[in-house]
Amino acid sequence: MIAAGASIGSLQVGLPLDPLENRILLCHALGITRVGLITQSERRLTEEEAVRLSALVGRRIGGEPIAYIVGQREFFGLPFRVTPAVLIPRPDTELIVELALERLPAQARMLDMGTGSGAIAVAVAHTRPDAQVTALDVSDDALAVARSNAETNGARVRFLRSDWFAALEGEAFELVVSNPPYIASGDEHLVQGDLRFEPVDALTDHEDGLSDLRTIVAGAAAHLAPGGWLLLEHGYDQAAAVRALLAEAGYLEAQSWRDLAGIERVSGGRRG
């Protein structure tokens, strides 16, 4: 329990978390900026502030992700609201945004499947306001979060509730992207770390980890304009399997791209 009367300066080094997390929770609990941590270092906490900070620290010690505690995570240089209804956007996923931007023609149509927080769709739409971006998800709660993120970041995105391609009859896009559930059922990572708190249906396909990727590869060609690209984020050990799925489905230039850690994180191909 954090005591009232403790100074902000002492708490920056005295909380039982790493220094970055200490600063984030102090700013959130006290409603101040990081600059305020310096300029107000001698200020002492009130009883109410001490109780509030203690609760936040307790949640983090219990393993809850910082992003859920403060309700926000930065992605592609933009602020994104996050709740337990959506996955926390990760730096690895910025790779698929970069690849999408490289392959998106002027005034083209892009589809983001299983949008979650809207991170990919909003980042692309914010960077390329000429693009016609559509994002879908089967979860109403996720779509509510994604819509709020589009509004916050001034991004024009059309959101649809859809179980993969169900709501897209007759529509075609120059680019289709997705970061679908790709963790296999029973994988030990699902009960470790931050993943324990994230929506399980957004993490695992409840099968072998490739079933949703198969569905997207099989269905995307009918919604891709000729020459359009399909880009898929996947697990660290799934690149070869996804390339095989793309090649078997007739996609050209099937290949994989590595993230900053050197892991093949995104695979894709072009419709002939």
Side-chain angles (χ1 to χ4, degrees), residues 25-46:
L25 293 187
L26 274 165
C27 288
H28 187 67
L30 305 180
I32 60 177
T33 65
R34 292 191 181 183
V35 173
L37 293 179
I38 299 170
T39 60
Q40 302 178 47
S41 63
E42 300 301 316
R43 179 161 81 78
R44 299 187 178 278
L45 269 61
T46 66

Side-chain angles (χ1 to χ4, degrees), residues 81-102:
R81 175 180 164 236
V82 292
T83 76
V86 299
L87 294 183
I88 299 166
R90 289 167 167 80
D92 294 346
T93 300
E94 293 188 359
L95 173 61
I96 200 171
V97 175
E98 293 166 355
L99 294 167
L101 291 169
E102 291 171 3

Side-chain angles (χ1 to χ4, degrees), residues 75-78 80 90-104 110 112 118-128 175 177-179 231 233 266:
F75 177 82
F76 216 72
L78 302 172
F80 280 84
R90 289 167 167 80
D92 294 346
T93 300
E94 293 188 359
L95 173 61
I96 200 171
V97 175
E98 293 166 355
L99 294 167
L101 291 169
E102 291 171 3
R103 286 160 180 76
L104 192 61
M110 187 192 93
D112 176 25
I120 296 171
V122 171
V124 170
H126 180 271
T127 307
R128 287 283 304 278
L175 179 64
V177 303
S178 184
N179 178 16
L231 299 173
E233 181 169 330
V266 175

Side-chain angles (χ1 to χ4, degrees), residues 186-206:
D187 188 296
E188 62 182 11
H189 294 93
L190 292 170
V191 293
Q192 296 175 356
D194 288 359
L195 298 191
R196 294 172 294 159
F197 294 84
E198 297 188 80
V200 67
D201 289 341
L203 292 167
T204 177
D205 59 3
H206 303 284

